[in-house]
Amino acid sequence: MSTPLLRVRDLAKHFPVGKQGMLSDNRKLLRAVDGVSFDLERGQTLGLVGESGCGKSTTARAIIGLHPATTGSVQLDGVELTSLSRSEWLPYRRRIQMIFQDPYASLDPRQTVSSILTEPLTIHRLAKPKERKLRAMALLDAVGLNPRHIDRYPHEFSGGQRQRIGIARALALEPELLLLDEPVSALDVSIQAQIVNLLGELQERFNLAYLFIAHDLAVVRHLCDEVCVMYLGRVVEQAPRDELFESPQHPYTKALLSAVPHPNPHIERSRERIVLTGDVPSPLDPPTGCTFHPRCAHASEVPEDRCVRECPSLVTSDGRSSACHLP
Protein backbone atom coordinates (compact mmCIF):
# COMPACT_ATOMS: atom_id res chain seq x y z
CA MET A 1 0.00 0.00 0.00
CA SER A 2 1.23 3.49 -0.81
CA THR A 3 2.01 5.95 1.97
CA PRO A 4 -0.83 8.47 2.50
CA LEU A 5 0.01 12.12 2.04
CA LEU A 6 -1.02 12.92 5.63
CA ARG A 7 -1.01 10.39 8.45
CA VAL A 8 -2.16 11.44 11.94
CA ARG A 9 -1.85 8.99 14.82
CA ASP A 10 -3.02 9.51 18.43
CA LEU A 11 -2.61 13.29 18.12
CA ALA A 12 -3.24 15.14 21.39
CA LYS A 13 -3.06 18.80 22.36
CA HIS A 14 -3.55 19.73 26.02
CA PHE A 15 -3.51 23.27 27.39
CA PRO A 16 -2.66 23.97 31.07
CA VAL A 17 -5.38 26.17 32.59
CA GLY A 18 -5.24 28.11 35.87
CA LYS A 19 -2.52 29.67 37.98
CA GLN A 20 0.71 27.92 38.82
CA GLY A 21 1.54 27.84 42.54
CA MET A 22 4.97 28.57 44.01
CA LEU A 23 5.53 25.03 45.29
CA SER A 24 3.21 22.97 43.12
CA ASP A 25 1.39 23.13 39.84
CA ASN A 26 -2.34 23.38 40.52
CA ARG A 27 -3.30 23.89 36.92
CA LYS A 28 -5.78 21.61 35.16
CA LEU A 29 -5.37 20.27 31.65
CA LEU A 30 -7.84 21.29 28.96
CA ARG A 31 -7.87 18.31 26.60
CA ALA A 32 -8.73 20.12 23.37
CA VAL A 33 -7.58 17.20 21.21
CA ASP A 34 -7.25 13.80 22.84
CA GLY A 35 -6.06 11.00 20.56
CA VAL A 36 -7.12 11.78 16.97
CA SER A 37 -6.08 9.44 14.14
CA PHE A 38 -6.82 9.50 10.40
CA ASP A 39 -5.20 9.26 6.95
CA LEU A 40 -5.61 11.60 3.99
CA GLU A 41 -4.69 10.48 0.48
CA ARG A 42 -3.41 12.69 -2.33
CA GLY A 43 -6.12 14.56 -4.21
CA GLN A 44 -8.80 13.60 -1.66
CA THR A 45 -10.90 15.68 0.75
CA LEU A 46 -11.42 14.66 4.36
CA GLY A 47 -14.16 16.48 6.25
CA LEU A 48 -13.81 17.16 9.97
CA VAL A 49 -17.18 17.94 11.59
CA GLY A 50 -18.63 18.36 15.07
CA GLU A 51 -20.04 20.94 17.48
CA SER A 52 -18.13 24.10 18.41
CA GLY A 53 -15.38 23.34 20.90
CA CYS A 54 -14.87 19.71 19.86
CA GLY A 55 -11.26 20.34 18.78
CA LYS A 56 -11.51 20.61 14.98
CA SER A 57 -9.52 23.85 14.59
CA THR A 58 -6.99 22.83 17.24
CA THR A 59 -6.39 19.60 15.32
CA ALA A 60 -5.58 21.56 12.16
CA ARG A 61 -3.31 23.98 14.03
CA ALA A 62 -1.46 21.08 15.67
CA ILE A 63 -0.95 19.42 12.29
CA ILE A 64 0.59 22.53 10.77
CA GLY A 65 2.67 23.32 13.88
CA LEU A 66 0.92 26.49 15.05
CA HIS A 67 0.13 24.60 18.27
CA PRO A 68 2.95 22.16 19.19
CA ALA A 69 1.43 18.71 19.69
CA THR A 70 1.44 17.36 23.26
CA THR A 71 1.73 13.76 22.09
CA GLY A 72 1.12 11.78 18.91
CA SER A 73 2.44 11.65 15.38
CA VAL A 74 1.87 13.78 12.28
CA GLN A 75 3.53 12.53 9.11
CA LEU A 76 3.58 14.30 5.75
CA ASP A 77 4.50 11.83 3.04
CA GLY A 78 6.21 9.64 5.65
CA VAL A 79 8.18 12.48 7.33
CA GLU A 80 7.47 13.11 11.03
CA LEU A 81 6.56 16.80 11.53
CA THR A 82 6.08 17.02 15.30
CA SER A 83 9.82 16.70 16.01
CA LEU A 84 10.97 19.33 13.49
CA SER A 85 12.57 22.59 14.61
CA ARG A 86 11.40 25.92 13.21
CA SER A 87 14.15 25.98 10.58
CA GLU A 88 13.52 22.35 9.64
CA TRP A 89 9.81 23.16 9.16
CA LEU A 90 10.53 25.72 6.41
CA PRO A 91 10.67 23.40 3.36
CA TYR A 92 7.47 21.67 4.51
CA ARG A 93 5.61 25.00 4.67
CA ARG A 94 5.62 24.88 0.88
CA ARG A 95 3.79 21.57 0.89
CA ILE A 96 1.13 22.28 3.53
CA GLN A 97 -0.80 25.54 3.89
CA MET A 98 -3.81 26.74 5.87
CA ILE A 99 -6.84 28.88 5.03
CA PHE A 100 -8.47 30.49 8.07
CA GLN A 101 -12.09 31.14 8.96
CA ASP A 102 -11.94 34.94 9.12
CA PRO A 103 -10.18 36.29 6.01
CA TYR A 104 -9.94 39.83 7.37
CA ALA A 105 -8.19 38.73 10.57
CA SER A 106 -5.73 36.54 8.65
CA LEU A 107 -4.63 39.28 6.22
CA ASP A 108 -2.29 42.08 7.32
CA PRO A 109 -4.29 45.33 6.88
CA ARG A 110 -1.06 47.31 6.45
CA GLN A 111 0.05 45.32 3.42
CA THR A 112 -1.24 45.54 -0.12
CA VAL A 113 -2.43 42.39 -1.86
CA SER A 114 0.81 42.47 -3.85
CA SER A 115 2.89 42.36 -0.64
CA ILE A 116 0.68 39.62 0.86
CA LEU A 117 1.05 37.35 -2.16
CA THR A 118 4.74 37.99 -2.90
CA GLU A 119 5.93 37.64 0.72
CA PRO A 120 5.82 33.78 0.66
CA LEU A 121 7.72 33.82 -2.64
CA THR A 122 10.38 36.07 -1.11
CA ILE A 123 10.76 33.95 2.04
CA HIS A 124 11.17 30.75 0.04
CA ARG A 125 13.24 32.46 -2.67
CA LEU A 126 10.94 31.44 -5.47
CA ALA A 127 11.09 33.25 -8.81
CA LYS A 128 13.17 36.32 -9.56
CA PRO A 129 12.16 39.59 -7.86
CA LYS A 130 10.82 41.01 -11.13
CA GLU A 131 8.69 37.91 -11.73
CA ARG A 132 7.04 37.74 -8.30
CA LYS A 133 4.43 40.40 -8.93
CA LEU A 134 3.49 38.72 -12.21
CA ARG A 135 3.02 35.43 -10.34
CA ALA A 136 0.89 37.24 -7.76
CA MET A 137 -1.30 38.65 -10.53
CA ALA A 138 -1.66 35.15 -12.01
CA LEU A 139 -2.77 33.87 -8.59
CA LEU A 140 -5.46 36.56 -8.38
CA ASP A 141 -6.70 35.55 -11.81
CA ALA A 142 -6.75 31.87 -10.74
CA VAL A 143 -9.09 32.65 -7.82
CA GLY A 144 -11.40 34.86 -9.88
CA LEU A 145 -10.16 38.35 -8.91
CA ASN A 146 -9.10 41.20 -11.16
CA PRO A 147 -5.25 41.27 -11.34
CA ARG A 148 -5.38 45.06 -11.74
CA HIS A 149 -6.52 45.32 -8.10
CA ILE A 150 -3.24 43.91 -6.82
CA ASP A 151 -2.12 47.19 -5.23
CA ARG A 152 -5.26 47.58 -3.12
CA TYR A 153 -5.48 46.89 0.62
CA PRO A 154 -7.64 44.13 2.21
CA HIS A 155 -10.24 46.59 3.55
CA GLU A 156 -11.04 47.59 -0.04
CA PHE A 157 -12.45 44.12 -0.79
CA SER A 158 -15.63 42.34 0.27
CA GLY A 159 -15.61 39.32 2.59
CA GLY A 160 -15.78 36.84 -0.27
CA GLN A 161 -13.02 38.64 -2.15
CA ARG A 162 -10.80 38.64 0.95
CA GLN A 163 -11.30 34.89 1.30
CA ARG A 164 -10.23 34.51 -2.33
CA ILE A 165 -7.07 36.47 -1.48
CA GLY A 166 -6.45 34.09 1.42
CA ILE A 167 -6.83 31.14 -0.97
CA ALA A 168 -4.44 32.78 -3.45
CA ARG A 169 -1.87 33.27 -0.69
CA ALA A 170 -2.16 29.59 0.28
CA LEU A 171 -1.64 28.58 -3.36
CA ALA A 172 1.41 30.82 -3.84
CA LEU A 173 3.86 28.11 -2.79
CA GLU A 174 2.15 25.39 -4.86
CA PRO A 175 1.27 23.16 -1.85
CA GLU A 176 0.04 19.58 -1.93
CA LEU A 177 -2.23 19.89 1.12
CA LEU A 178 -4.58 22.66 2.27
CA LEU A 179 -6.09 22.81 5.75
CA LEU A 180 -9.37 24.74 5.45
CA ASP A 181 -10.70 25.94 8.80
CA GLU A 182 -14.36 26.74 8.12
CA PRO A 183 -13.46 28.82 5.05
CA VAL A 184 -17.06 29.72 4.15
CA SER A 185 -18.82 30.03 7.53
CA ALA A 186 -18.29 33.81 7.77
CA LEU A 187 -19.65 34.49 4.26
CA ASP A 188 -23.12 35.06 2.80
CA VAL A 189 -24.84 31.96 1.40
CA SER A 190 -24.47 33.05 -2.23
CA ILE A 191 -20.77 33.79 -1.71
CA GLN A 192 -20.34 30.43 0.08
CA ALA A 193 -21.44 28.61 -3.07
CA GLN A 194 -18.92 30.54 -5.16
CA ILE A 195 -16.04 29.74 -2.78
CA VAL A 196 -17.01 26.05 -2.54
CA ASN A 197 -17.15 25.78 -6.34
CA LEU A 198 -13.78 27.56 -6.56
CA LEU A 199 -12.22 25.11 -4.10
CA GLY A 200 -13.52 22.20 -6.17
CA GLU A 201 -12.08 23.66 -9.37
CA LEU A 202 -8.69 24.38 -7.77
CA GLN A 203 -8.50 20.87 -6.32
CA GLU A 204 -9.06 19.32 -9.73
CA ARG A 205 -6.67 21.73 -11.43
CA PHE A 206 -3.74 21.38 -8.99
CA ASN A 207 -4.47 17.86 -7.57
CA LEU A 208 -4.74 19.24 -4.03
CA ALA A 209 -5.66 17.33 -0.88
CA TYR A 210 -8.02 19.11 1.53
CA LEU A 211 -8.64 18.74 5.26
CA PHE A 212 -11.99 20.53 5.34
CA ILE A 213 -13.33 21.72 8.70
CA ALA A 214 -16.96 22.81 8.67
CA HIS A 215 -20.25 23.02 10.56
CA ASP A 216 -22.39 22.97 7.43
CA LEU A 217 -22.97 19.30 6.67
CA ALA A 218 -24.48 20.13 3.27
CA VAL A 219 -21.16 21.67 2.21
CA VAL A 220 -19.29 18.66 3.63
CA ARG A 221 -21.48 16.27 1.63
CA HIS A 222 -20.87 18.27 -1.55
CA LEU A 223 -17.10 18.59 -1.23
CA CYS A 224 -15.70 15.70 0.85
CA ASP A 225 -14.78 12.12 -0.01
CA GLU A 226 -14.59 10.92 3.60
CA VAL A 227 -15.86 12.36 6.89
CA CYS A 228 -14.53 12.29 10.47
CA VAL A 229 -16.99 13.16 13.25
CA MET A 230 -15.39 14.61 16.41
CA TYR A 231 -16.83 14.91 19.90
CA LEU A 232 -14.93 16.44 22.83
CA GLY A 233 -11.49 16.04 21.27
CA ARG A 234 -11.95 12.51 19.90
CA VAL A 235 -13.03 10.97 16.60
CA VAL A 236 -16.23 9.00 17.25
CA GLU A 237 -16.95 7.94 13.66
CA GLN A 238 -15.16 7.93 10.31
CA ALA A 239 -16.61 6.69 7.04
CA PRO A 240 -16.85 7.41 3.31
CA ARG A 241 -19.18 10.35 2.73
CA ASP A 242 -22.15 8.51 1.19
CA GLU A 243 -22.06 5.68 3.73
CA LEU A 244 -21.94 8.08 6.67
CA PHE A 245 -24.82 10.24 5.45
CA GLU A 246 -27.00 7.27 4.45
CA SER A 247 -26.34 4.98 7.43
CA PRO A 248 -24.62 6.68 10.39
CA GLN A 249 -23.55 4.28 13.14
CA HIS A 250 -22.67 6.44 16.15
CA PRO A 251 -25.57 8.01 18.12
CA TYR A 252 -23.87 11.41 17.99
CA THR A 253 -23.53 11.26 14.20
CA LYS A 254 -27.22 10.37 13.92
CA ALA A 255 -28.13 13.40 16.03
CA LEU A 256 -25.96 15.71 13.91
CA LEU A 257 -27.49 14.50 10.65
CA SER A 258 -31.03 14.73 12.01
CA ALA A 259 -30.48 18.46 12.59
CA VAL A 260 -29.88 19.09 8.87
CA PRO A 261 -33.16 20.36 7.32
CA HIS A 262 -34.50 18.55 4.25
CA PRO A 263 -35.49 20.71 1.25
CA ASN A 264 -38.71 18.70 0.74
CA PRO A 265 -41.28 20.02 3.27
CA HIS A 266 -43.26 16.76 3.27
CA ILE A 267 -40.18 14.72 4.20
CA GLU A 268 -39.10 17.39 6.69
CA ARG A 269 -42.40 17.18 8.58
CA SER A 270 -42.39 13.39 8.80
CA ARG A 271 -38.74 12.58 9.55
CA GLU A 272 -37.40 11.89 13.03
CA ARG A 273 -35.55 14.69 14.81
CA ILE A 274 -33.07 13.62 17.51
CA VAL A 275 -32.71 16.29 20.19
CA LEU A 276 -29.71 15.84 22.48
CA THR A 277 -30.27 16.58 26.17
CA GLY A 278 -27.84 18.60 28.26
CA ASP A 279 -24.81 20.60 27.24
CA VAL A 280 -21.45 19.54 25.85
CA PRO A 281 -19.25 18.55 28.85
CA SER A 282 -16.23 20.67 29.66
CA PRO A 283 -12.91 19.37 28.26
CA LEU A 284 -11.42 20.46 31.61
CA ASP A 285 -13.47 17.77 33.39
CA PRO A 286 -14.70 15.24 30.81
CA PRO A 287 -17.04 12.41 31.87
CA THR A 288 -15.63 9.00 32.68
CA GLY A 289 -15.92 6.23 30.11
CA CYS A 290 -17.56 7.32 26.88
CA THR A 291 -17.62 11.13 26.88
CA PHE A 292 -20.93 11.10 25.02
CA HIS A 293 -22.80 8.88 27.49
CA PRO A 294 -24.43 11.74 29.54
CA ARG A 295 -26.29 12.86 26.38
CA CYS A 296 -26.79 9.45 24.73
CA ALA A 297 -30.28 7.93 24.70
CA HIS A 298 -28.82 4.44 24.23
CA ALA A 299 -26.32 4.40 27.12
CA SER A 300 -28.80 2.55 29.36
CA GLU A 301 -29.05 -0.26 26.78
CA VAL A 302 -25.40 -1.26 27.26
CA PRO A 303 -25.01 -3.82 30.08
CA GLU A 304 -22.86 -3.40 33.18
CA ASP A 305 -22.60 0.39 32.79
CA ARG A 306 -19.81 -0.01 30.24
CA CYS A 307 -20.52 3.45 28.81
CA VAL A 308 -19.84 5.01 32.22
CA ARG A 309 -16.79 2.92 33.08
CA GLU A 310 -15.02 2.21 29.79
CA CYS A 311 -14.01 4.54 26.94
CA PRO A 312 -14.84 2.79 23.63
CA SER A 313 -12.07 2.29 21.10
CA LEU A 314 -12.43 3.35 17.48
CA VAL A 315 -13.14 0.00 15.81
CA THR A 316 -12.76 -0.34 12.03
CA SER A 317 -14.97 -2.69 10.02
CA ASP A 318 -15.78 -2.75 6.30
CA GLY A 319 -13.84 0.47 5.66
CA ARG A 320 -15.53 2.57 8.34
CA SER A 321 -14.86 3.21 12.02
CA SER A 322 -17.03 3.88 15.05
CA ALA A 323 -16.32 4.33 18.77
CA CYS A 324 -19.40 2.94 20.49
CA HIS A 325 -20.15 0.01 22.81
CA LEU A 326 -23.38 -0.75 20.97
CA PRO A 327 -22.95 -3.28 18.15
Side-chain angles (χ1 to χ4, degrees):
M1 296 178 64
S2 60
T3 303
L5 177 62
L6 179 68
R7 172 171 286 170
V8 178
R9 289 291 180 273
D10 300 319
L11 180 65
K13 178 58 185 176
H14 302 161
F15 295 95
V17 177
K19 295 183 178 180
Q20 185 175 5
M22 295 180 62
L23 301 178
S24 64
D25 191 348
N26 296 320
R27 294 180 295 179
K28 292 185 177 181
L29 283 180
L30 190 152
R31 301 175 182 273
V33 180
D34 200 21
V36 169
S37 300
F38 57 79
D39 291 340
L40 176 56
E41 303 290 343
R42 290 168 175 79
Q44 299 294 301
T45 301
L46 175 67
L48 207 56
V49 303
E51 293 172 284
S52 295
C54 70
K56 305 184 299 296
S57 297
T58 306
T59 298
R61 289 171 177 266
I63 289 172
I64 205 170
L66 293 178
H67 291 325
T70 304
T71 58
S73 170
V74 177
Q75 294 183 5
L76 182 68
D77 208 9
V79 178
E80 182 61 48
L81 301 181
T82 57
S83 59
L84 297 180
S85 65
R86 186 171 181 177
S87 59
E88 291 171 333
W89 247 108
L90 188 61
Y92 295 97
R93 296 290 182 198
R94 287 193 59 183
R95 303 180 62 184
I96 177 170
Q97 289 286 303
M98 188 164 180
I99 298 172
F100 298 90
Q101 178 178 359
D102 186 352
Y104 193 67
S106 65
L107 301 176
D108 189 340
R110 298 168 296 179
Q111 287 187 309
T112 64
V113 173
S114 177
S115 299
I116 290 171
L117 297 184
T118 57
E119 185 177 37
L121 302 175
T122 303
I123 292 172
H124 289 268
R125 300 177 182 178
L126 299 178
K128 297 178 181 179
K130 294 181 180 179
E131 298 174 351
R132 288 171 187 161
K133 189 167 185 177
L134 294 176
R135 288 188 61 170
M137 295 175 73
L139 286 168
L140 285 183
D141 184 62
V143 298
L145 292 178
N146 192 334
R148 291 181 296 178
H149 298 163
I150 195 168
D151 292 318
R152 294 184 177 181
Y153 289 86
H155 73 269
E156 299 180 77
F157 294 89
S158 67
Q161 290 173 327
R162 286 196 290 265
Q163 192 62 289
R164 289 173 186 264
I165 295 170
I167 295 172
R169 179 180 60 183
L171 294 175
L173 299 177
E174 300 177 354
E176 301 169 57
L177 169 63
L178 288 184
L179 309 181
L180 301 108
D181 186 8
E182 301 190 39
V184 297
S185 63
L187 307 176
D188 294 337
V189 174
S190 60
I191 305 300
Q192 287 182 12
Q194 296 175 17
I195 298 298
V196 168
N197 291 334
L198 172 64
L199 291 172
E201 294 169 4
L202 293 173
Q203 182 176 38
E204 185 175 351
R205 179 176 174 183
F206 298 111
N207 193 32
L208 296 167
Y210 289 159
L211 178 63
F212 190 83
I213 298 170
H215 281 107
D216 192 335
L217 295 179
V219 175
V220 170
R221 188 168 194 174
H222 174 76
L223 199 62
C224 298
D225 302 295
E226 194 158 342
V227 182
C228 276
V229 181
M230 289 188 66
Y231 184 80
L232 215 63
R234 293 176 177 268
V235 174
V236 296
E237 185 167 357
Q238 180 176 354
R241 172 197 59 198
D242 293 337
E243 293 183 24
L244 184 132
F245 277 87
E246 292 171 8
S247 59
Q249 292 183 347
H250 197 279
Y252 178 63
T253 308
K254 294 178 182 180
L256 282 182
L257 296 181
S258 77
V260 180
H262 197 281
N264 188 322
H266 299 290
I267 297 177
E268 176 65 22
R269 281 194 294 266
S270 61
R271 71 189 186 97
E272 180 186 6
R273 174 75 168 89
I274 302 174
V275 179
L276 296 178
T277 59
D279 298 323
V280 180
S282 170
L284 279 171
D285 189 20
T288 59
C290 175
T291 54
F292 185 61
H293 85 262
R295 308 174 73 194
C296 181
H298 303 284
S300 59
E301 301 173 16
V302 180
E304 300 178 358
D305 291 332
R306 283 188 70 194
C307 293
V308 180
R309 296 184 295 100
E310 181 183 340
C311 182
S313 301
L314 193 67
V315 178
T316 302
S317 177
D318 298 327
R320 58 187 303 174
S321 305
S322 178
C324 184
H325 291 306
L326 285 172

